[in-house]
Amino acid sequence: MPTRRLSVSIVGLGYVGLCTAVTFASRGFPTLGVDIDSRRIKAIEKGETPFHEPRLDRLLKRGLRSKLLRVSDDASSAAEAEAIYIAVGTPSRRDGSINLEYVEGAARQIGASIRDIHGYRLVIVKSTVIPGTTSSKVKPILEENAKKKVGPQMGLCVNPEFLSEGTAIRNALYPDKLVIGASDEQSGSRLRKIYRAFYGGKLPPTIMTNPETAELIKYSSNAFLATKVSYINTMANLAQEVPGVDVESLAEAIGLDPRIGPLFLRAGPGYGGSCFHKDLQAIISYGRKVGYEPTLLREVEQVNEQQAARVVGLAESLLGELNEKRVAVLGIAFKKDTDDIREAASLRVIDLLRKRGAQVVVYDPMAMPNAKAVFEQSVEYATSPKAAINEADCCIVMTEWDEFRKLKAKDYAQLMRSPNIVDARRIYEAADFETVNFRAIGLGDRMS
Ligand code: UGA
């Protein structure tokens, strides 16, 4: 007879919430996923995933079939479970600061539904929130609505997530670390117990700390990763100015130094995705509020923003004026294996291309529906990479999809009006592209 698992509920079935919910169910926890969007709930109930994520589809269907996973649009049902995760979005306001409206709303509803419950309930903040949010906002809202104090009757922890899109399920099942910011000892030990059951008795390296530190750890992690990307892009931009220099050799060499490490040193068109830009803006804005201007992080963002112009500059170095030129953009997603285009570098590049009068034709293996919703009639949509480059004056590779690697120099030469290729992701070997006009991020011009 298996030991009884605690039940968990997850409020907010966005990216983090849904991936967390299916992994809990996959490990035998009775799990309730809650979202106020009833259309989303109806789709999830039928086993339809609202976004693409490897393994999510299978785990969702399996969870629903086993009845370990249930979903509901009734927020008051969340308190049925003993552990209640808040995983709602924390978008940016216009000025970059964090919008906590959904977190506060979730805390209010969870508090109200805990009110008539006699047993202990543990509330866990998984949403990314600026330091102090859990203690100074979530806690009083919960206490006021539940008419209970955090302590003997109700627990409260911060437990940030470090899932990356494309590997979210693997990251949730085999994380490098857990971070638990506990409001009191009991909350922390209860959450550790849940994870001990989840990870089969052996916890991943676990940092036990206070809520504020846990909140800041999440921002520090994303800010550091974003800094690495802007750093290597800075080096790429320098390398590109020197004939014969290649940022890839540079990255490989510095990455061998264990103090630097090899990961997140891929030069490219700049980071995208729903997290880095939003989180950097939020922490910069928070810094200002508390009287410290994090100038380093401002620069990280600026380098990232400017990278789009570097990509377009490479196209101009091959073509001259872009006005009325047909430019194929291969890849819209912010990285491969996702249909997510939020904050993708491709959006900034396409915007610049259009401002310079280029006719843009786009192709992405997964993100076409999302691209169509954003660009509408302003660009053309191709049905394959070859159709996109057909009769184009220039092609810019914006996402490192495996499918694009299959295109050879001769395909470009045969199909394009003139074979001008900008590899903004470094997917091609320059040596294989000597027969066409080829420029790449971080690759100095050929030595004559
Ligand atoms: C990021 C973090 O990696 C996760 O740890 C974190 O949990 C998540 O944000 C979040 O806060 O939810 P994600 O946005 O899915 O995950 O994507 P990453 O794999 O980190 O890539 C971000 C961007 O940086 C992509 O556009 C990627 O192409 C770019 N990148 C990454 C580079 O340009 N070069 C690199 O070497 C690495």
Side-chain angles (χ1 to χ4, degrees), residues 189-212:
S189 65
R190 293 237 183 183
L191 189 53
R192 263 206 322 265
K193 195 170 152 214
I194 292 177
Y195 284 127
R196 219 172 281 120
F198 187 99
Y199 292 109
K202 192 173 178 306
L203 281 181
T206 301
I207 306 295
M208 294 301 299
T209 183
N210 55 40
E212 292 69 26

Side-chain angles (χ1 to χ4, degrees), residues 417-431:
R417 194 176 295 156
S418 51
N420 296 302
I421 296 128
V422 175
D423 183 358
R425 285 287 186 174
R426 303 303 306 268
I427 66 168
Y428 297 126
E429 288 293 334

Side-chain angles (χ1 to χ4, degrees), residues 15-16 53 128 160-168 171 176-177 218 221-222 225-226 228-230 232-233 262-276 278-279 304 333-336 338 340 342-345 348 398-400 424-425:
Y15 198 82
V16 171
E53 179 62 36
T128 300
E161 61 78 28
F162 301 96
L163 312 180
S164 291
E165 292 191 23
T167 53
N171 297 152
D176 327 318
K177 62 186 170 294
K218 168 70 190 188
S221 175
N222 274 358
L225 293 171
K228 263 189 128 174
V229 175
S230 279
I232 200 65
N233 284 341
L263 303 179
F264 265 71
L265 289 180
R266 285 190 326 272
Y271 54 77
S274 64
C275 302
F276 284 2
K278 169 179 84 77
D279 291 353
N304 196 57
F334 82 101
K335 61 179 182 180
K336 72 169 185 171
T338 175
D340 196 343
R342 286 175 292 174
E343 301 295 335
R348 298 184 282 278
M398 285 299 297
T399 313
E400 69 282 22
R425 285 287 186 174

Side-chain angles (χ1 to χ4, degrees), residues 178-434:
L178 293 178
V179 174
I180 298 178
S183 288
D184 63 335
E185 220 178 296
Q186 185 176 190
S187 305
S189 65
R190 293 237 183 183
L191 189 53
R192 263 206 322 265
K193 195 170 152 214
I194 292 177
Y195 284 127
R196 219 172 281 120
F198 187 99
Y199 292 109
K202 192 173 178 306
L203 281 181
T206 301
I207 306 295
M208 294 301 299
T209 183
N210 55 40
E212 292 69 26
T213 309
E215 288 162 333
L216 190 54
I217 286 171
K218 168 70 190 188
Y219 284 101
S220 313
S221 175
N222 274 358
F224 188 76
L225 293 171
T227 303
K228 263 189 128 174
V229 175
S230 279
Y231 166 79
I232 200 65
N233 284 341
T234 299
M235 289 302 134
N237 298 341
L238 284 171
Q240 206 169 282
E241 298 307 320
V242 193
V245 173
D246 186 353
V247 73
E248 292 211 330
S249 309
L250 183 156
E252 190 187 349
I254 64 171
L256 288 171
D257 183 332
R259 293 169 301 175
I260 297 175
L263 303 179
F264 265 71
L265 289 180
R266 285 190 326 272
Y271 54 77
S274 64
C275 302
F276 284 2
H277 173 65
K278 169 179 84 77
D279 291 353
L280 265 97
Q281 288 299 317
I283 204 67
I284 291 168
S285 160
Y286 171 76
R288 276 186 199 136
K289 211 175 105 201
V290 296
Y292 175 71
E293 181 77 40
T295 49
L296 172 68
L297 304 183
R298 249 183 23 213
E299 278 304 317
V300 167
E301 277 277 271
Q302 210 174 333
V303 168
N304 196 57
E305 194 69 34
Q306 289 164 353
Q307 202 64 4
R310 299 284 308 184
V311 173
V312 174
L314 284 175
E316 283 169 332
S317 75
L318 292 170
L319 279 182
E321 284 261 319
L322 294 178
N323 195 28
E324 298 197 352
K325 296 280 166 47
R326 188 172 168 82
V327 180
V329 173
L330 292 186
I332 307 294
F334 82 101
K335 61 179 182 180
K336 72 169 185 171
D337 296 334
T338 175
D339 60 353
D340 196 343
I341 66 168
R342 286 175 292 174
E343 301 295 335
S346 60
L347 307 187
R348 298 184 282 278
V349 164
I350 290 171
D351 189 45
L352 286 176
L353 291 172
R354 293 192 46 246
K355 283 192 176 124
R356 296 187 193 175
Q359 283 170 15
V360 179
V361 50
V362 304
Y363 173 75
D364 188 286
M366 230 174 239
M368 291 305 254
N370 288 335
K372 284 178 184 166
V374 169
F375 301 121
E376 298 179 337
Q377 309 298 320
S378 64
V379 300
E380 277 178 49
Y381 301 95
T383 50
S384 69
K386 285 190 175 173
I389 62 174
N390 193 36
E391 288 299 307
D393 298 294
C394 181
C395 171
I396 306 181
V397 178
M398 285 299 297
T399 313
E400 69 282 22
W401 287 104
D402 294 338
E403 185 175 343
F404 303 156
R405 292 177 202 272
K406 293 184 194 140
L407 288 176
K408 306 284 177 236
K410 70 170 177 11
D411 299 315
Y412 285 101
Q414 272 165 14
L415 291 164
M416 291 178 75
R417 194 176 295 156
S418 51
N420 296 302
I421 296 128
V422 175
D423 183 358
R425 285 287 186 174
R426 303 303 306 268
I427 66 168
Y428 297 126
E429 288 293 334
D432 298 336
F433 279 69
E434 273 170 4

